[in-house]
Amino acid sequence: MRLFAPAPLLATLSILGRNVLPVSAINLVATDECTILLLRYLLYLQSASIKDAAAKVAADMVAMYATNVNGTGAATILSGIPGLLTYPPYYWWEAGAMFGSLVEYWYYTGDTTYNDLVRDGMLHQVGDQANLMPANQSKDEGNDDQLFWAFAVMSAAELGFEDPSGDQPGWLALAQSVMNQLISRWDPETCNGGLRWQIYQWIGGYNYKNTAANGGMFQLGARLAKYTGNATYAEWAEKAFDWLVQSPLLTKDWQVYDGSDVLKSCSDADQLQWTYNYGILIGGAAYMYNYTNGNQTWATRLDGFLDHTLTTFFPAKQGGVMVEVACEITQKCDIDQWSFKAALSRWLAISAQLAPYTAARILPVMQKSATAAATQCNGGDSGTECGSRWFQSTYDGNGGVGQQMSALNVITANMIEYVKPPYSADTGGTSHGNPAAGTGDEDPATTVVFDEITTADKAGASILTILVVGSILGGGWWMIA
């Protein structure tokens, strides 16, 4: 049964295309009570319209994972295993990306419909050692695959997603476990360091060092540093980033390439450019910018990544909306690649929030891409599934989990000005951590040592938080279109 037609979905997003000021600017343009109330109501309509569109897209995505989600009794997982999408065609990592998107969907919208499903799915995949290394994935789990699950549990910690019960590992502890495992896999014997793409030698791609793994380690370290205040995580984030800089994977003007061959001593790079690689590095740089209280070095790096992102993946020829340029136009993307735009959308929004000076560049293109993505959400068996080419005005016949995830994330990204920044341990975060997780060592002192957080550190962080809040309250004038 068709639940909605494409026209209503577009109508819910059409408010993004008007020029109305947000609540923060009301007092600058309105002096009488009636005008203020009207502007507040229009702002409420904008938020409600984005949430409504996101709910429809999320429902179709979840339906590709489970049925009877809102019915009586337990949901039916289509793969038969909680936490896994049906394979083939979907690999383990994409389920992690999906759950991360659903955690953030809840954060942006307040909709708890899928929270139990998400929590149960994530916990079912933590593995016997609570290290996000489930035994049934040993045939194909890579470092970047594990990282997308780490991103999901890190988001759960940062955003205040319901904590697991007392006998389960905390979201923070799971993320710390992955970071410790990545540190143990650092490979100084080849290519001057860095992580290999794959964990196990018998998996194809073991002799490839890629941006997703090393950039992912960089981002995870930055997020853990910000959440815990532990400078050791920041040091490892910088070590991973410095390796990328000295490798052929980053150019001097901050173009991002995919990977390099260990057997050739990482002397050159596969120069394909993907949205998710840029997204991973934009997210990491934004967290480091915030963690370092607005350090100009990180601003320069973030700006460089944004420059190439906005010129490469939002081409004027396709109307300035987000495009996976390496494969989308020709429709030759594989199952994984259809989801890559979701990652870029997630971390562009985070950049606008944690590095508020970037919002004026990011939010207009996210607004345009969200509206365009909605035009693709009128296909599939439900009549509401989303296609892949947002620059086309009707469903292109190419749907799936990655396409739904990409549409969901670009739509919810437009809620970034309505939500609080991520929590940290000293600003309300409640997730339980374990610095020794993933090491097999019960003594945290032998793994990561926490540095003392000084009064000056806290003062600097407070100043940057004020800037972030100021941007959220005052920088979103363009969003009600």
Side-chain angles (χ1 to χ4, degrees):
M1 177 180 177
R2 173 173 274 190
L3 301 179
F4 70 103
L9 180 55
L10 286 172
T12 64
L13 288 178
S14 63
I15 197 168
L16 287 173
R18 304 176 192 150
N19 293 317
V20 179
L21 296 177
V23 165
S24 59
I26 285 175
N27 291 332
L28 300 177
V29 299
T31 56
D32 64 279
E33 184 176 352
C34 289
T35 303
I36 291 173
L37 288 174
L38 175 61
L39 291 176
R40 288 183 183 275
Y41 178 65
L42 289 173
L43 188 68
Y44 162 78
L45 288 179
Q46 176 191 342
S47 172
S49 73
I50 298 170
K51 291 179 181 181
D52 185 56
K56 293 174 171 66
V57 177
D60 270 331
M61 183 176 74
V62 172
M64 298 175 187
Y65 168 66
T67 60
N68 197 41
V69 174
N70 297 311
T72 58
T76 300
I77 309 301
L78 297 179
S79 69
I81 302 174
L84 296 185
L85 290 162
T86 301
Y87 174 83
Y90 300 108
Y91 287 98
W92 181 70
W93 84 271
E94 192 159 348
M98 180 189 71
F99 288 125
S101 295
L102 287 170
V103 168
E104 292 169 15
Y105 166 75
W106 158 78
Y107 162 69
Y108 282 126
T109 67
D111 182 0
T112 62
T113 300
Y114 310 116
N115 283 17
D116 289 347
L117 192 74
V118 170
R119 184 190 63 251
D120 293 346
M122 289 199 294
L123 290 175
H124 198 82
Q125 293 298 313
V126 301
D128 293 338
Q129 303 301 316
N131 57 2
L132 288 171
M133 291 281 287
N136 63 1
Q137 295 303 316
S138 61
K139 66 183 185 302
D140 56 23
E141 182 177 352
N143 283 308
D144 52 355
D145 302 323
Q146 189 185 36
L147 272 158
F148 269 87
W149 281 86
F151 294 151
V153 296
M154 193 70 229
S155 289
E158 293 167 335
L159 305 181
F161 194 70
E162 183 181 352
D163 294 316
S165 61
D167 61 342
Q168 297 276 5
W171 304 126
L172 175 60
L174 289 168
Q176 290 172 310
S177 172
V178 173
M179 190 66 189
N180 284 331
Q181 292 171 69
L182 296 175
I183 291 170
S184 73
R185 297 176 196 143
W186 188 261
D187 176 27
E189 302 303 318
T190 62
C191 303
N192 300 312
L195 290 173
R196 293 173 183 262
W197 175 21
Q198 301 294 352
I199 298 170
Y200 302 111
Q201 296 183 23
W202 59 81
I203 300 177
Y206 181 75
N207 288 317
Y208 193 66
K209 293 194 174 181
N210 66 340
T211 296
N214 290 280
M217 183 181 189
F218 159 59
Q219 187 191 120
L220 183 61
R223 294 170 73 170
L224 284 167
K226 184 179 185 306
Y227 190 94
T228 66
N230 182 350
T232 304
Y233 290 128
E235 291 168 5
W236 270 102
E238 292 191 8
K239 184 171 184 174
F241 190 87
D242 289 346
W243 181 84
L244 285 165
V245 169
Q246 64 83 48
S247 80
L249 303 186
L250 295 185
T251 69
K252 291 182 179 180
D253 65 342
W254 306 112
Q255 290 186 79
V256 181
Y257 297 147
D258 187 65
S260 192
D261 189 346
V262 171
L263 300 181
K264 296 169 62 177
S265 300
C266 297
S267 58
D268 56 14
D270 175 348
Q271 296 188 6
L272 282 174
Q273 298 190 63
W274 300 102
T275 52
Y276 86 131
N277 281 332
Y278 277 89
I280 288 169
L281 294 179
I282 285 169
Y287 274 96
M288 287 301 291
Y289 173 86
N290 192 278
Y291 171 77
T292 59
N293 301 315
N295 181 277
Q296 184 56 46
T297 296
W298 287 111
T300 299
R301 293 164 172 173
L302 180 55
D303 289 342
F305 295 138
L306 283 173
D307 288 344
H308 286 293
T309 294
L310 297 177
T311 57
T312 302
F313 301 113
F314 297 84
K317 188 175 181 180
Q318 277 72 43
V321 302
M322 191 187 299
V323 177
E324 193 65 65
V325 294
C327 62
E328 179 181 322
I329 296 172
T330 60
Q331 292 288 280
K332 292 183 178 179
C333 299
D334 65 23
I335 288 294
D336 291 346
Q337 292 157 2
W338 289 123
S339 71
F340 287 177
K341 290 192 292 186
L344 179 57
S345 297
R346 289 172 71 175
W347 292 312
L348 281 174
I350 283 293
S351 177
Q353 185 182 60
L354 296 185
Y357 78 92
T358 66
R361 300 179 68 192
I362 290 171
L363 298 180
V365 298
M366 300 303 284
Q367 166 200 0
K368 180 180 287 189
S369 292
T371 304
T375 68
Q376 280 290 314
C377 297
N378 61 353
D381 293 339
S382 68
T384 61
E385 290 179 13
C386 302
S388 62
R389 287 174 283 192
W390 300 345
F391 54 88
Q392 293 185 354
S393 59
T394 56
Y395 180 67
D396 63 7
N398 186 352
V401 173
Q403 292 87 331
Q404 290 298 129
M405 198 188 317
S406 293
L408 177 64
N409 285 10
V410 77
I411 290 169
T412 55
N414 284 279
M415 288 294 297
I416 194 67
E417 294 207 322
Y418 298 90
V419 294
K420 296 182 294 186
Y423 290 115
S424 60
D426 61 356
T427 62
T430 61
S431 187
H432 297 294
N434 177 6
T439 67
D441 190 335
E442 296 181 359
D443 181 7
T446 66
T447 53
V448 180
V449 179
F450 284 82
D451 292 344
E452 180 181 359
I453 302 174
T454 66
T455 301
D457 293 331
K458 292 180 179 179
S462 298
I463 292 169
L464 192 58
T465 300
I466 291 170
L467 292 174
V468 171
V469 173
S471 173
I472 291 172
L473 294 178
W477 55 269
W478 55 270
M479 280 200 60
I480 307 181

